[in-house]
Amino acid sequence: MKLIITSHNLGLWAASYVQHRVQATHKKPFVLGLPTGGTVVDMYAALSALVKNGKLSFHDIVTFNMDEYVGLSPEHDQSYHYYMKHNLFDHVDALPEHIHILNGQASDLHAECENYEKAIVNAGGIDLFLGGVGRNGHLAFNEPGSAFTSHTRVMKLTDSTRQANSRFFNNDVSQVPTQALTVGIGTVLDAKELLFLANGEAKAQAVARLAEGEISEQWPITALKTHPHATLLIDDAAASALAPAILQQIREARAKQPQQDIVITL
Ligand code: GLP
């Protein structure tokens, strides 16, 4: 896999990558896996701007979101339905029947998850899965210990994830749902290509684990290393806990060409 350290805005970088992949692939529909979270807000703003300026269309893009909290209605301002509507779908020309987001209020959550997997298969699989990273290295809502073969299912959220996400719930952890529906690590790994984003010091530990640690289900982020076409795009702060030799390499590269991305093969 590739680790890319960029001094550019991660969201702009990722949006222009999506544009390039969609337009270069000529596949209709193009199937995109989508994340939520603070990290990717800029990416959605940039994708919306590309559509507004006529440089990208979602008409032939089918989307599958990664996850959703159990028990929140789509109108709840912290539901991922709400997030996606306000950050992306209100601003682009996606067809409603092309948008898939897990229903955290389904009466049968297990059937909801099974049907989601079937819908992904029926769409021909995911061409490009975009994602963020949790502080504890989780992908989507796959908490540490999730099998790399796992598929869409109900997940009990760890205290650390609920604590981290409480910033979106008036800093009141008791308001953060205790469960979520999430695609599995296996669902993510089944995608043809992965582009994950991590920024800020809060993600530095998880990034260092990926770069230097063993591949382990205790660190879901390390699953990226098992994929033949995966990229993790990070900023300098998220790179800050990497080994001194790599940090030195970054400093030297930056001194020579400050704007150039640094690509490390892991
Ligand atoms: C949540 C989401 C993840 C996301 C993570 C990081 O837990 N389920 O998909 O990657 O948050 O979010 P942020 O980008 O806000 O740090």
Side-chain angles (χ1 to χ4, degrees):
M1 72 164 288
K2 279 191 290 188
L3 177 67
I4 301 184
I5 303 134
T6 186
S7 55
H8 299 278
N9 178 284
L10 262 56
L12 286 177
W13 196 111
S16 102
Y17 189 78
V18 170
Q19 178 194 21
H20 159 76
R21 293 301 294 153
V22 168
Q23 290 168 354
T25 307
H26 297 301
K27 179 178 167 285
K28 288 187 181 172
F30 188 90
V31 185
L32 205 49
L34 295 177
T36 49
T39 310
V40 287
V41 167
D42 283 358
M43 175 182 80
Y44 287 130
L47 285 170
S48 302
L50 286 172
V51 172
K52 189 174 171 213
N53 297 330
K55 295 192 172 141
L56 175 69
S57 170
F58 270 68
H59 188 270
D60 294 315
I61 297 179
V62 166
T63 65
F64 285 90
N65 262 82
M66 295 185 129
D67 45 16
E68 177 58 289
Y69 288 110
V70 168
L72 297 193
S73 75
E75 292 77 35
H76 189 291
D77 66 3
Q78 289 312 323
S79 75
Y80 289 164
H81 276 78
Y82 186 98
Y83 173 107
M84 290 308 299
K85 178 173 158 49
H86 290 275
N87 284 295
L88 184 70
F89 293 127
D90 272 354
H91 315 291
V92 300
D93 55 343
L95 303 179
E97 63 270 29
H98 282 176
I99 298 170
H100 302 85
I101 307 180
L102 284 153
N103 175 7
Q105 289 195 311
S107 53
D108 184 341
L109 294 174
H110 296 284
E112 173 69 12
C113 294
E114 266 181 38
N115 291 335
Y116 206 68
E117 285 288 330
K118 283 183 195 148
I120 294 174
V121 172
N122 289 341
I126 292 175
D127 293 304
L128 173 61
F129 218 136
L130 304 167
V133 175
R135 292 176 194 201
N136 62 1
H138 72 229
L139 301 184
F141 267 131
N142 292 281
E143 296 286 27
S146 295
F148 285 0
T149 52
S150 55
H151 284 87
T152 306
R153 66 206 189 291
V154 183
M155 176 64 44
K156 184 178 182 307
L157 301 180
T158 60
D159 290 344
S160 91
T161 293
R162 292 183 65 232
Q163 198 68 52
N165 289 3
S166 67
R167 69 192 195 279
F168 299 120
F169 290 83
N170 308 314
N171 288 313
D172 177 1
V173 75
S174 72
Q175 290 179 26
V176 184
T178 55
Q179 289 185 307
L181 301 185
T182 180
V183 296
I185 304 271
T187 319
V188 171
L189 293 177
D190 284 345
K192 295 185 188 75
E193 181 178 1
L194 311 179
L195 174 63
F196 277 64
L197 277 60
N199 63 9
E201 257 179 61
K203 308 294 168 68
Q205 185 63 25
V207 171
R209 275 287 170 160
L210 171 73
E212 279 125 41
E214 298 285 302
I215 293 173
S216 158
E217 290 179 349
Q218 289 314 312
W219 285 90
I221 189 174
T222 63
L224 298 180
K225 270 196 207 165
T226 70
H227 191 279
H229 197 179
T231 301
L232 179 68
L233 179 71
I234 63 172
D235 66 358
D236 283 4
S240 60
L242 291 172
I246 299 185
L247 291 176
Q248 180 61 21
Q249 198 184 325
I250 296 171
R251 272 194 295 274
E252 284 168 13
R254 278 282 150 72
K256 276 191 217 143
Q257 284 173 307
Q259 298 298 313
Q260 192 149 320
D261 292 344
I262 296 153
V263 182
I264 295 171
T265 302
L266 298 177

